Amino acid sequence: MQDLIKKAGQVKLLVMDVDGILSNGQIIYDANGIETKAFSVQDGVGVKSLARYGILTAIITGRSSAMVDKRATEMGVNYVVQGRDDKLIALKELLSSLDPELNITAADCAYMGDDLPDIKAMQTVGFAATVPNAHAEVIKRSDMVTTRAGGTGAVREVCDLILKGHGHYQDFIAHYTLDETQAQDELS
């Protein structure tokens, strides 16, 4: 686990796929043919936590959806790339478009994917993560397999690990907890 935390501590940019990572991978159409997705609130808190400590986030997805734009905006995702089947080329283009002063290379990235189109991008980054129901070839090439499935808090697990690697996890948790003295004061 310490090796994973150390690796996560090098991450400057977390790149996420959508279907199967930020959502459960199901595509649901209503009677009018409108597509819907479900997203985890816990993943949103995790993504926002990274922003608090200056760690950037991005989405690279093969599909295009207004829902992804909306959720990305809600979570404060820095970069959104949609409709790109070749995730490696999309990742390279994203990295080349970043401000050079950020000094972010593929080695400084974490990538979360769950299916074959994600593998090449995952192989080029410093930290690759996936979910337990990912394709076996993706799991084989990942540094971390989350305990939760996509759309149910898997991204949050990776965000927490990145915070631990950067030494910010306890500070982040302190924003949401009372110490013993504060807890007693609240009861009084």
Side-chain angles (χ1 to χ4, degrees), residues 74-144:
E74 290 173 350
M75 293 189 301
V77 173
N78 302 96
Y79 310 99
V80 178
V81 180
Q82 295 197 64
R84 297 300 298 274
D85 291 329
D86 192 319
K87 308 282 185 78
L88 177 58
I89 291 174
L91 176 62
K92 287 179 178 179
E93 289 173 359
L94 172 64
L95 290 173
S96 69
S97 74
L98 298 178
D99 183 337
E101 290 185 18
L102 292 173
N103 194 28
I104 297 176
T105 67
D108 302 313
C109 297
Y111 189 104
M112 285 190 76
D114 70 312
D115 210 345
L116 300 177
D118 299 304
I119 291 176
K120 287 179 183 176
M122 293 174 76
Q123 289 178 306
T124 65
V125 299
F127 184 78
T130 194
V131 293
N133 58 319
H135 191 282
E137 295 298 326
V138 174
I139 291 173
K140 185 165 51 175
R141 291 167 174 85
S142 295
D143 297 303
M144 176 186 183

Side-chain angles (χ1 to χ4, degrees), residues 141-154:
R141 291 167 174 85
S142 295
D143 297 303
M144 176 186 183
V145 178
T146 62
T147 60
R148 293 184 177 201
T152 65

Side-chain angles (χ1 to χ4, degrees), residues 4 7 33 35-36 63 91 105 118 142 147 172:
L4 274 182
K7 221 173 206 197
E35 178 183 326
T36 62
R63 299 174 57 81
L91 176 62
T105 67
D118 299 304
S142 295
T147 60
F172 173 65

Side-chain angles (χ1 to χ4, degrees), residues 8 10-11 27 35 51 59 86 108 129 141 155 160 163 166 171:
Q10 304 304 309
V11 173
I27 300 166
E35 178 183 326
I59 288 173
D86 192 319
D108 302 313
R141 291 167 174 85
V155 170
D160 285 352
L163 291 178
H166 282 268
D171 180 66

